[in-house]
Amino acid sequence: MEVRKKDIRALTKEQLRDFFVAQGDKAFRGTQVYEWLWQKSAHSFDAMTNISKETRQMLEDNFVINHIRVDQMQRSTDGTIKNAVRLHDGLVVESVLIPTETRTTACVSSQVGCSLDCRFCATARLKRMRNLNPDEIYDQVVAIDNESRLYFDRPLSNIVFMGMGEPLMNYNNVLKAIEKITSPEGLGMSPKRIVVSTSGVPKMIKKMADEEVKFALAVSLHSAIDEVRTSIMPFNATFPLKELRESLEYWYAKTKNRITYEYVVWEGINDTQKDVDALVKFCKFAPSKVNLIEYNPIDDGEFQQASEAAVEMYKRTLERNGITVTVRRSRGKDIDAACGQLANKS
Ligand code: SAH
């Protein structure tokens, strides 16, 4: 009878070492295999050239390596690359490489689809199929690091969890992936170069604060007025702004880390002075930065980017109140790789 083999990367280093000891081998063999699995990102047991053939066969008989496969790679005229990533069970997610003069940023997915229902986001139209495993998140980063070296002649420098899914609804796996990404036994990247972006799950923000995580937090706010926010991000009815704000105060008190807000200004939705004032009031309690993101149309015109004048008004008001503002142009629009456009069209 065919036994279902275990995903070897679900094992910790200790468990792998114990496994080898139980096989009558040395614990050290476990460490070697662990290095192949993470640091060297081996796709197969056969690639583990310092492991004997018999041992590789034994591993093959017991385990699988559920490595992702980049099925399709698209390149934008602005250099942005989008990967369609096939998972071991056939599902597909997307990740994006965003090059600038000085950085290469990986935008990675945390779930297949999304359970939130943001009206302006293409991913919301795919129902949430499942969470990604830590190794599936890790593999996306490795794939983009390789592409960065290949096409831009430099390693990946930054990671944002702004692809498909809500990272805080897959908290444990996202944290495990970050642990591997930042560990010297993995990619050895600095947590300061990682941003986890959330629609705002208060309980999880507090948990992150308690665990004293070292990466940065971004909150997709889009409105600081409950009725408006609920109309465009329905889950705001469950996690209203007051609770979100409390969790952020808690986060700031514990971590002293500046908070970044992502914000799109839409015509007729949040483009008045009243909307800006509410935003100022919401984020003034801690050093904050607001990224005014360009809207990437995904629909038949229900949402429209506000006028330049409205964006200017936001910028002026925020700056006058000591809040840092950046106005961000979208990248990779021609290949549907920009914020909110990830939806596996292919
Ligand atoms: N669920 C997480 C991660 C997704 S990040 C979060 O909400 O933060 C993707 C970012 O793109 C979020 O800030 C989201 O609000 C924004 N976004 C979604 N759809 C967009 C669109 N059509 N145009 C511009 N930004 C969009």
Side-chain angles (χ1 to χ4, degrees):
M1 205 173 69
E2 179 75 34
V3 223
R4 254 186 91 200
K5 296 182 198 172
K6 211 172 146 63
D7 171 8
I8 191 164
R9 287 188 294 176
L11 300 186
T12 63
K13 187 164 145 189
E14 288 326 308
Q15 288 169 330
L16 206 50
R17 286 167 62 91
D18 291 347
F19 170 80
F20 275 96
V21 173
Q23 297 280 318
D25 203 335
K26 298 195 181 70
F28 174 66
R29 202 75 61 220
T31 306
Q32 283 180 312
V33 171
Y34 190 83
E35 277 171 10
W36 276 109
L37 291 173
W38 295 102
Q39 209 165 47
K40 300 182 197 157
S41 193
H43 288 224
S44 71
F45 296 111
D46 269 342
M48 303 181 176
T49 45
N50 61 354
I51 307 290
S52 76
K53 219 164 168 194
E54 296 71 51
T55 306
R56 281 187 259 154
Q57 187 57 50
M58 181 276 291
L59 289 171
E60 191 81 56
D61 294 341
N62 285 281
F63 299 105
V64 285
I65 303 175
N66 287 331
H67 216 283
I68 64 158
R69 215 175 64 211
V70 176
D71 251 12
Q72 197 198 14
M73 192 197 100
Q74 284 172 278
R75 287 191 83 177
S76 159
T77 49
D78 67 18
T80 303
I81 293 176
K82 182 169 82 171
N83 290 333
V85 167
R86 188 166 297 274
L87 310 171
H88 67 92
D89 56 2
L91 293 172
V92 176
V93 293
E94 293 176 334
S95 26
V96 182
L97 177 163
I98 307 148
T100 67
E101 291 280 300
T102 51
R103 304 173 163 195
T104 309
T105 302
C107 175
V108 297
S109 294
S110 56
Q111 298 183 311
V112 188
C114 190
S115 60
L116 303 182
D117 198 16
C118 303
R119 299 282 191 245
F120 45 83
C121 180
T123 306
R125 299 186 177 169
L126 313 167
K127 75 172 201 288
R128 191 198 77 97
M129 306 288 284
R130 68 170 172 88
N131 286 335
L132 293 189
N133 295 324
D135 46 283
E136 292 168 327
I137 296 170
Y138 184 85
D139 289 351
Q140 293 176 66
V141 175
V142 172
I144 290 183
D145 183 36
N146 289 337
E147 290 169 349
S148 180
R149 289 167 198 271
L150 184 63
Y151 297 105
F152 301 96
D153 213 17
R154 61 190 187 203
L156 176 68
S157 61
N158 296 72
I159 302 171
V160 294
F161 281 80
M162 296 188 188
M164 297 168 135
E166 168 49 50
L168 297 194
M169 300 248 182
N170 183 18
Y171 183 84
N172 288 335
N173 291 351
V174 166
L175 256 75
K176 277 188 196 157
I178 292 178
E179 200 180 287
K180 289 288 190 307
I181 292 164
T182 54
S183 157
E185 292 180 335
L187 296 175
M189 284 184 67
S190 162
K192 296 207 171 70
R193 292 173 171 277
I194 301 176
V195 179
V196 170
S197 176
T198 177
S199 295
V201 188
K203 203 172 83 186
M204 290 301 152
I205 292 173
K206 285 189 175 167
K207 191 164 176 200
M208 270 166 50
D210 282 336
E211 291 176 4
E212 295 177 18
V213 299
K214 298 285 183 283
F215 50 79
L217 177 66
V219 179
S220 302
L221 195 62
H222 304 305
S223 174
I225 300 173
D226 268 318
E227 304 83 79
V228 178
R229 196 167 192 259
T230 301
S231 75
I232 54 177
M233 303 171 79
F235 74 93
N236 184 70
T238 320
F239 307 120
L241 288 163
K242 185 169 171 291
E243 275 179 44
L244 176 57
R245 165 69 187 260
E246 276 167 14
S247 70
L248 293 172
E249 282 175 18
Y250 188 83
W251 162 269
Y252 183 68
K254 287 245 167 177
T255 65
K256 292 283 174 263
N257 272 351
R258 177 170 82 168
I259 301 162
T260 298
Y261 297 94
E262 287 147 282
Y263 204 103
V264 178
V265 191
W266 288 284
E267 195 175 294
I269 291 179
N270 57 356
D271 58 351
T272 70
Q273 188 70 48
K274 187 172 152 227
D275 295 290
V276 199
D277 293 343
L279 172 59
V280 169
K281 197 166 160 227
F282 186 89
C283 58
K284 232 167 57 179
F285 72 93
S288 302
K289 177 171 147 191
V290 174
N291 276 334
L292 295 174
I293 320 175
E294 188 185 347
Y295 176 55
N296 303 305
I298 55 145
D299 51 34
D300 26 32
E302 194 194 336
F303 287 90
Q304 262 168 32
Q305 168 80 38
S307 64
E308 292 225 359
V311 175
E312 259 314 301
M313 170 191 66
Y314 261 89
K315 192 161 183 281
R316 238 182 304 119
T317 310
L318 290 165
E319 279 172 351
R320 206 185 317 122
N321 284 279
I323 297 162
T324 308
V325 191
T326 58
V327 180
R328 233 168 43 187
R329 292 266 157 267
S330 282
R331 308 283 308 271
K333 265 203 216 183
D334 55 334
I335 54 167
D336 284 330
C339 292
Q341 294 189 311
L342 301 186
N344 306 330
K345 254 192 214 163
S346 51

